[in-house]
Amino acid sequence: MKKVILKIEGMSCSACQNRVEKYLNKQDGVNASVNLVMAQALIKYDEEKVTLNDLDRFVEESGYKSLGVYNKKEEEKKDNSKYYLISYAILTVVLMYISMSHMLELPIIPFLHMTRHPIYYAITLLLLTIPFLIYGLDIIKSGIGKMLHKSPNMDTLVTIGVLASFIYSLANLIIIITQKEKLVEHLYFESSAMIIYFTKLGRFIDKKSKEKTKEAIKELVQITPSSATIKTEDGEKEITIDKVKKDDILICKPGMKIAVDGTIMSGVAHLDEAFITGESIPSKKSTNDKVIAGSINIDGYIEYKAEKIGKDSTISEIVRLVVEATNTKAPIARIADIVSSYFVPAIIIIAILTFITYLLLGKEFNEAIISFVTVLVVACPCALGLATPLAVVVGEGVSAKKGILVKDSSTLEKAYKVDTIVFDKTGTLTHGNLKISEIENYSDYSNKKILNIVSSIENKSTHPIARAFKEITPDHNVSKFKNIPGIGLSAVINNKNIYVGNNRILKKIGIKNKYEETEKKLIQKGNSIIYVIENKTIIAIIGVKDVVRDNAKKTIKKLKIMNKKIIMLSGDNEYTSNIIGKYLQIDKVIAKVLPKEKEKVLNDLIKNNHKVMMVGDGINDAPALATSSVGVSINSGTDIAADSSDVILMNDDLSKIIDLLNISKKTIKIIKQNLFWAFFYNILMIPIAIGILKPVGISITPIFASLSMTISSLTVVFNSLRLKY
Ligand code: AMP
């Protein structure tokens, strides 16, 4: 039996996992175990009976896609990057020591003496440099590729610098060996090595701060239950989710989750489906209403017919949207690449002009070519690869201290450009659940006492409104508790009849409403109303609503001063959305939008050349977060929102968005300065390389090259650290 791990695309729930696993195991000579979270199948197969191609086909036949054999080596190679970096750091020091000890008057290794043993010296430098070329082969390949496609980037510039120094030094080495000429001062092997090392170091820092692996599917496994209760002729039966078939009648009791998308056949219940709709109050569902897999049944018994299962379900659709959006998101052009794209042609032109001018001046071909190469050698700044990652890392550190977790390293390079900020309502601008917002007290009791009484009764209710009181500890003995459907609750506390509910309760117990005006006022503010009655007297009116988060209003006001357009998206109804939109002075409110429509709003904005930040918390926001230029999620939100976003606000404080924009602006400024300093000394070297200063006896030597490298690298390091203050 042979063993392979296949990567599988498209599995989004445990039903999918079971389907693939079963289908594979049905095949002759195949033994498979499928891991949904890792999106992998561990397969043992009999080579005589099946081939790898057959395995791919089986996966396709089961309805999913095989992405081929999981390449463990490649992943391991990535993990080794730290050790490579350390080993090459040591090698860099050795190389620098050998090549520079004579300049710095440090003890010289006798047999590697530059002038006494030039051949040993040069060959040692060559041998020590070759590993760096292998180490940086990916950069060189990419640099040449980009050059051939006429879109030079940072890699191209690095490649030119590295290859020019290496080939030039190699040619000189051959001359040293064959013609015994003293050309040892014209070896730039260590420049090649240093440029590669610094670029690799920059990449490493960049990668460390880059986004963590996406584990979006993990959460969705928990959203949809792994089993369902099916109604059969022999009564109820618990079955695993993959056994559910279309048109099965399933049962859902209070506290349970809906297992698959379907339609209610009988029963009534409040279902919490905020994760899809953003509706802050669980909605009442009865016969013929649709239900979505993963919604939580709060209080009723319902029977529903299974309709969309596994891959076709609403949840799977969201996963598909997120994956698509993440995969098609265009990477931003990074500044170092943009600068290089201008610098590369400029350098090549200068080099060619130098070459031609030398020939025109009647100089020897040899001299012309040497000047040509020298220009290329000095042009590539060693600190180029460090300029961006260092600033970004420091910027991310500053952000983290403020509770802003930046997941994607390019975020700080683009956040400052955002012109439109789209907020989700429920759970992002608001807390996402009902809270007590107002209390009008008409009694001698303290507010605290009234809330205690109400909480003691509501504690026994499963109605969504009761959740608003769960933070208040009930401390009264309640007897004769009764639920009055559609109206409220009644009970006896301290020998007094207490009623809580909507205004219909007044009619029921036969008392007049003196507070209609107050009720109207509270409703206008978006509250649901609870009358509290003791015996036959109204003792209070309590308003509950989904309360806006602290700082939301202040933050939006400041963002508007910063010229950002603010949009609010909500799956909730227009009435509630508009109340909140008006209170927060939001420019545009879009209500009643499904996850797919949220994504579309974002896509349309981006198509119209807007740079859009999306701020959200829920599963229904995930596709929009993944689509946006910068996705920001709230820490208390769902894992899938966090996975789909670039930034997480650790303490749910919306005002941190302003800090994020400011840090991004400062980071970009530092990056630009870094690039300036990285290039500055190299640009100063170019005239010397061309030979303009030859008449006064100054020509380029490795001392100048090394010096410019060291100074520019140090400047970049210290300039980046300035971001901290
Ligand atoms: P329902 O049809 O069950 O959603 O209830 C209709 C209305 O009755 C609600 O909108 C509330 O105004 C009121 N109500 C029901 N249960 C309660 C409760 N536990 N506390 C306060 N009001 C309630």
Side-chain angles (χ1 to χ4, degrees), residues 158-170 188 192 372-378:
V158 169
T159 304
I160 291 180
V162 169
L163 291 186
S165 322
F166 186 78
I167 295 169
Y168 178 75
S169 310
L170 195 63
Y188 294 95
S192 306
F372 170 82
V373 179
T374 316
V375 170
L376 298 182
V377 170
V378 299

Side-chain angles (χ1 to χ4, degrees), residues 423 428-429 549 552 555 615 634 649 652-657:
F423 286 95
T428 303
L429 286 174
R549 281 188 196 277
T555 303
V615 191
I634 301 280
L649 302 182
D652 295 355
D653 181 352
L654 293 173
S655 72
K656 298 292 181 220
I657 292 172

Side-chain angles (χ1 to χ4, degrees), residues 270 284 458 461 463 465-466 483-484 486-489 500-502 504 529-530:
H270 287 88
K284 195 170 178 172
E458 292 286 3
S461 164
H463 195 276
I465 284 190
N483 188 15
I484 317 167
I487 295 179
L489 312 167
V500 296
N502 55 32
R504 269 180 278 172
I529 304 301
I530 303 167

Side-chain angles (χ1 to χ4, degrees), residues 90-225:
I90 299 169
L91 204 54
T92 308
V93 172
V94 175
L95 185 61
M96 296 303 286
Y97 190 88
I98 296 173
S99 67
M100 289 176 87
S101 45
H102 54 276
M103 294 184 220
L104 304 173
E105 292 179 11
L106 293 168
I108 295 170
I109 305 170
F111 68 96
L112 294 180
H113 197 286
M114 190 174 153
T115 42
R116 268 180 244 147
H117 304 282
I119 297 182
Y120 285 162
Y121 168 80
I123 289 182
T124 308
L125 290 186
L126 168 71
L127 292 180
L128 287 175
T129 304
I130 288 172
F132 284 89
L133 292 187
I134 299 168
Y135 185 38
L137 207 57
D138 52 335
I139 302 173
I140 296 174
K141 271 190 200 158
S142 139
I144 294 176
K146 290 277 174 192
M147 175 89 121
L148 294 179
H149 286 106
K150 295 200 180 80
S151 54
N153 63 353
M154 193 183 110
D155 289 353
T156 317
L157 188 52
V158 169
T159 304
I160 291 180
V162 169
L163 291 186
S165 322
F166 186 78
I167 295 169
Y168 178 75
S169 310
L170 195 63
N172 284 340
L173 169 64
I174 294 169
I175 297 171
I176 294 174
I177 296 173
T178 53
Q179 303 172 12
K180 302 261 179 294
E181 267 200 50
K182 293 237 180 298
L183 279 174
V184 273
E185 289 207 350
H186 293 275
L187 295 176
Y188 294 95
F189 283 122
E190 81 282 0
S191 302
S192 306
M194 277 242 306
I195 294 174
I196 286 183
Y197 186 75
F198 276 107
T199 312
K200 284 278 179 181
L201 180 63
R203 299 271 150 101
F204 178 78
I205 296 171
D206 203 38
K207 200 180 115 207
K208 275 288 139 192
S209 60
K210 236 194 174 106
E211 52 186 322
K212 326 263 170 305
T213 40
K214 295 206 181 296
E215 289 194 351
I217 316 166
K218 206 174 190 170
E219 151 146 354
L220 293 163
V221 181
Q222 290 150 6
I223 282 285
T224 44

Side-chain angles (χ1 to χ4, degrees), residues 654-671:
L654 293 173
S655 72
K656 298 292 181 220
I657 292 172
I658 295 164
D659 290 324
L660 172 66
L661 296 178
N662 287 335
I663 295 171
S664 167
K665 209 162 151 185
K666 290 206 181 105
T667 307
I668 272 296
K669 204 166 126 191
I670 297 279
I671 291 177

